[in-house]
Amino acid sequence: MVGWLGTWSIIRPMEACKALGAKRALPLPVSAQDSGISAPVITKVTFEVNGKPQTLELDTRTTLLDALRDHLHLTGTKKGCDHGQCGACTVIADGRRINSCLTLAVMHDGGKVTTIEGLGTPDKLHPMQAAFVRHDGYQCGYCTPGQICSAVALLQEIKAGVPSHVSADLLAPPAVTNAELRERMSGNICRCGAYSNIAEAIAEVAGSSA
Amino acid sequence: MKTFSYEKAKTPAEAAAAAARIKGARFIAGGTNLLDLMKLEIETPAHLIDVNGLALDKIEALPEGGVRVGALVRNTDLAADERVRREYPLLSRALLAGASGQLRNKATTAGNLLQRTRCAYFYDPNMPCNKRVPGSGCSAIGGISRQHAVIGSSDACIATHPSDMAVALRALDATVETVNGKGAARKIPIANFHRLPGDSPHIETNLQPGELITAVTLPKPVGGNQLYYKVRDRASYAFALVSVALIQQKDGSGRVALGGIAHKPWRVESAERALPSGAKATADALLAGAKPTRDNEFKVKLVERTLAAVLAHAKELRA
């Protein structure tokens, strides 16, 4: 999948090209055209993760996702597509949900990041985690940390009055309806298809019967 | 990903000067498109200039009645801004039709304008693409081209511009404000901002090298019914096959811009005279000279039908 491509992802040009019998001179992959290899650039990053100050020495190329998983060993945040399409890497940075795979760790120097580990613990689940368990809002569980971070943040967005694509009236405070939750969760893909239970769990936390 | 050096810019002029001075430098703001392309080594900047620290994140009222939107205003904040929702609802609607909640929280106003096509061949380094490697050919022509342009394309490129926001800005007659490496500011009307592919599809905008977008301004509100319809393969979080931005006044006159069908937001001012006559007349005028491919012929009809649906909705609102 390329970019947040949506349905374009079903197109596989190489296969399609073969299928059409097309014959073309293929350029070399970009990486092979380039013989110069530059040394990594290392930089210091200081940020607060789940309330704890952290300082890391990182290659500038390190995404926030890789910093969390590989350097801080917070493996609750998952790498799915690594291209911002699946939402498995969703974390809350400076109060907002983002795809941690599409941002550089160095860009969060001085910032605050909350991961699933910072929301709750096995002994003391966050209300959203407890609701996901109660409503069976997952099957394999791989997308779940991202789903939960996204769900927690989206209720804040609704509270703050951020409208959505399905909000009928842009000037009215958004409501917690099933349609609103589904639209607002569309950046989190669940291949097990636990969507209806996920929406029920979020609705319960929001205190609605959506 | 290729290695790169990194700096945080302090002022817009300093950022533009650094971009003009350092070979292979790129600005990074939200990064949602640039980083994706860097992972695939389609973009290989040697140096990143992080512009997030520039104080360009305000939405301000202008004395003559318009609004200035800072280049760094996030898509979420722009869509949710009270004045934008009230006076430029088309812009809110278009923004909310694009991407996901997570991406809109990061993506910026300037970055949205500068995002690159999602043509699958552009994204596949194994395939020729004039946008990625000038002169290498276009794989979409004669390839799978369901998503591609039906008008304004060339023998070199049939890619589309992916933005919803830009379609609304085109209908709203926005202006892009910039600063260059020498500190000189200029204003570019949105109509002249994006380019058609011609024989240089790798040059997508009329920005000069190193020129930094500082803001987008909207003229004073024009009122009317403002609607954005987006037709796509799934109900949310997908790019447009066709989108229609409509601003229609009580007397039936108005403006219309289309997304998903060309290398830039598509607006033909003379076609808007046909709006009171209905969807077919308007679509015919908007798409005069269209050259769809075998795969995307359906878009021509889809424009007319989406326009019909939008006009019916606007009529209902006027009743």
Side-chain angles (χ1 to χ4, degrees), chain B residues 93-150:
Chain B
R93 286 290 180 203
L95 283 159
L96 296 169
S100 67
Q102 289 95 316
L103 288 163
R104 289 191 297 269
N105 279 343
K106 265 275 165 207
T108 62
T109 306
N112 190 315
L113 284 177
L114 295 175
Q115 62 178 311
R116 309 202 64 190
T117 187
R118 266 41 172 218
C119 171
Y121 299 102
F122 171 69
Y123 267 79
D124 183 348
N126 296 303
M127 298 297 287
C129 169
N130 286 323
K131 216 180 240 312
R132 185 165 25 74
V133 183
S136 63
C138 172
S139 305
I141 297 173
I144 293 175
S145 55
R146 182 168 178 274
Q147 300 275 358
H148 290 75
V150 297

Side-chain angles (χ1 to χ4, degrees), chain B residues 12-303:
Chain B
E14 188 189 299
R21 192 177 64 243
I22 303 164
K23 198 170 171 275
R26 291 291 306 265
F27 303 117
I28 188 163
T32 52
N33 190 208
L34 180 60
L35 267 172
D36 185 29
L37 292 165
M38 285 167 64
K39 289 182 184 194
L40 298 162
E41 298 189 358
I42 292 164
E43 295 272 11
T44 54
H47 182 72
L48 283 185
I49 302 164
D50 184 340
V51 294
N52 285 293
L54 309 183
L56 300 174
D57 56 355
K58 305 279 183 307
I59 304 173
E60 312 158 302
L62 294 172
E64 64 270 30
V67 167
R68 174 182 282 117
V69 180
L72 290 168
V73 172
R74 309 288 152 171
N75 288 177
T76 299
D77 298 322
L78 186 53
D81 181 76
E82 199 272 333
R83 192 187 297 116
V84 172
R85 281 185 283 138
R86 191 162 27 87
E87 297 182 339
Y88 307 95
L90 181 67
L91 181 54
S92 280
R93 286 290 180 203
L95 283 159
L96 296 169
S100 67
Q102 289 95 316
L103 288 163
R104 289 191 297 269
N105 279 343
K106 265 275 165 207
T108 62
T109 306
N112 190 315
L113 284 177
L114 295 175
Q115 62 178 311
R116 309 202 64 190
T117 187
R118 266 41 172 218
C119 171
Y121 299 102
F122 171 69
Y123 267 79
D124 183 348
N126 296 303
M127 298 297 287
C129 169
N130 286 323
K131 216 180 240 312
R132 185 165 25 74
V133 183
S136 63
C138 172
S139 305
I141 297 173
I144 293 175
S145 55
R146 182 168 178 274
Q147 300 275 358
H148 290 75
V150 297
I151 195 160
S153 53
S154 70
D155 292 343
C157 180
I158 59 169
T160 55
H161 195 268
S163 171
D164 293 297
M165 183 193 80
V167 180
L169 291 181
R170 181 70 179 86
L172 289 164
D173 282 332
T175 300
V176 181
E177 299 189 346
T178 69
V179 63
N180 71 11
K182 292 178 183 144
R186 69 165 173 149
K187 296 179 179 181
I188 309 169
I190 187 79
N192 302 338
F193 183 79
H194 293 105
R195 294 161 58 104
L196 289 177
D199 55 7
S200 55
H202 59 292
I203 305 171
E204 292 163 354
T205 70
N206 286 317
L207 289 177
Q208 298 301 309
E211 191 172 5
L212 175 75
I213 298 175
T214 51
V216 171
T217 57
L218 301 172
K220 66 177 194 228
V222 293
N225 293 122
Q226 303 194 5
L227 297 165
Y228 189 79
Y229 271 36
K230 181 175 181 180
V231 183
R232 44 188 162 174
D233 284 330
R234 58 186 188 192
S236 183
Y237 198 20
F239 288 98
L241 289 166
V242 160
S243 70
V244 175
L246 175 76
I247 302 174
Q248 199 172 26
Q249 306 297 337
K250 280 199 162 58
D251 62 3
S253 68
R255 306 175 186 180
V256 62
L258 305 175
I261 61 154
H263 200 255
K264 58 190 275 186
W266 194 254
R267 182 173 172 200
V268 180
E269 275 82 346
S270 61
E272 291 163 3
R273 286 198 296 268
L275 271 174
S277 317
K280 178 150 193 351
T282 311
D284 285 350
L286 273 166
L287 296 183
K291 281 190 198 148
T293 67
R294 190 190 53 192
D295 288 352
N296 68 15
E297 250 171 338
F298 73 93
K299 285 192 177 185
V300 174
K301 200 73 189 162
L302 192 56
V303 165

Side-chain angles (χ1 to χ4, degrees), chain A residues 2-4 8 13 16 38 60-61 82-84 90 96-97 101 106-107 157 167-168 170 183 186 188, chain B residues 1 3-4 8 29 36 39 41 77 85 93 96 102 105 118-119 121 123 127 144 147 233 236-237 239:
Chain A
V2 292
W4 35 284
W8 288 52
S38 312
T60 50
R61 292 173 290 182
D82 208 23
H83 287 280
T90 304
R96 307 181 132 207
R97 55 178 170 154
C101 74
V106 65
M107 293 166 73
E157 290 168 9
S167 306
L170 284 178
E183 164 60 25
S186 71
N188 292 84
Chain B
M1 204 187 302
T3 61
F4 55 85
K8 281 183 160 76
D36 185 29
K39 289 182 184 194
E41 298 189 358
D77 298 322
R85 281 185 283 138
R93 286 290 180 203
L96 296 169
Q102 289 95 316
N105 279 343
R118 266 41 172 218
C119 171
Y121 299 102
Y123 267 79
M127 298 297 287
I144 293 175
Q147 300 275 358
D233 284 330
S236 183
Y237 198 20
F239 288 98

